[in-house]
Amino acid sequence: MTDIQELLLSRIRDVPDHPKPGVVFKDITPLLADPAAFAALTEALAEISLRHGATRVVGLEARGFILAAPVAIRAGLGFVPVRKAGKLPGATLRQAYDLEYGTAEIEVHAEDLTPEDRVMVIDDVLATGGTAAASLELVRRAGAQVAGVAVLMELGFLDGRAKLTQELGGAPLEALLTV
Ligand SMILES: O=P(O)(O)OC[C@H]1O[C@H](OP(=O)(O)OP(=O)(O)O)[C@H](O)[C@@H]1O
Ligand SMILES: Nc1ncnc2[nH]cnc12
């Protein structure tokens, strides 16, 4: 494990049985409160985005926003929010998906993603892969290209990676940490 991975891992708190029994919640708030760790995370995700030729960064509400917005600025790329359904005011594309602990719907402004865009989807945790898969589906339906998915932490035992294989279409899934 690299020094940066050790730093990031040391700042993620395991919270058993949240938000429901049986789930070990990966809480990133200690990492966000540590400026060196947050900066290292931003730098790593920006490097991944640029290395894969992204022109836009998509952040997934809510925790994905916190990571993707500084990454977009650091990498000099536009930021596009994917929001929980009902929040965006303009014409949207909408996608339903399953979570480790429920179901939800997400939306993106249709005009924010064009066929010229190469999109890096950024989030904190990849669990079942439902959120990332739905986001990639939105990117594809908008006609944009997929540069990849980059997450802070992949929960390997839930095998979200397998769920994304088809949606990624050969694009990379990069996780800074896998547990
Ligand atoms: O791989 P999956 O099983 O889809 O789970 C991962 C998603 O779950 C969490 O978000 P959540 O929907 O809990 O929302 P939040 O960011 O608003 O806390 C997390 O931030 C990811 O977006
Ligand atoms: N175990 C978990 N910890 C944090 N975020 C999550 N999103 C889905 N599963 C999660």
Side-chain angles (χ1 to χ4, degrees), residues 68-171:
V71 167
I73 293 170
R74 182 71 183 94
L77 304 174
F79 172 80
V80 175
V82 164
R83 297 211 62 179
K84 304 282 162 66
K87 301 285 188 181
L88 290 169
T92 62
L93 299 170
R94 181 181 289 211
Q95 190 73 35
Y97 63 104
D98 293 324
L99 274 169
E100 192 184 359
Y101 38 71
T103 63
E105 285 187 318
I106 51 174
E107 286 182 323
V108 68
H109 271 150
E111 67 177 19
D112 279 356
L113 296 175
T114 71
E116 288 73 48
D117 293 321
R118 274 182 63 79
V119 178
M120 182 61 70
V121 173
I122 291 186
D123 208 351
D124 62 338
V125 172
L126 183 84
T128 65
T131 308
S135 308
L136 291 173
E137 186 66 15
L138 286 178
V139 171
R140 193 189 60 74
R141 284 172 54 201
Q145 304 156 56
V146 175
V149 173
V151 297
L152 165 60
M153 175 170 277
E154 175 180 359
L155 307 185
F157 60 95
L158 289 172
D159 211 15
R161 186 172 281 270
K163 189 173 209 158
L164 292 188
T165 307
Q166 195 179 336
E167 281 83 358
L168 280 166

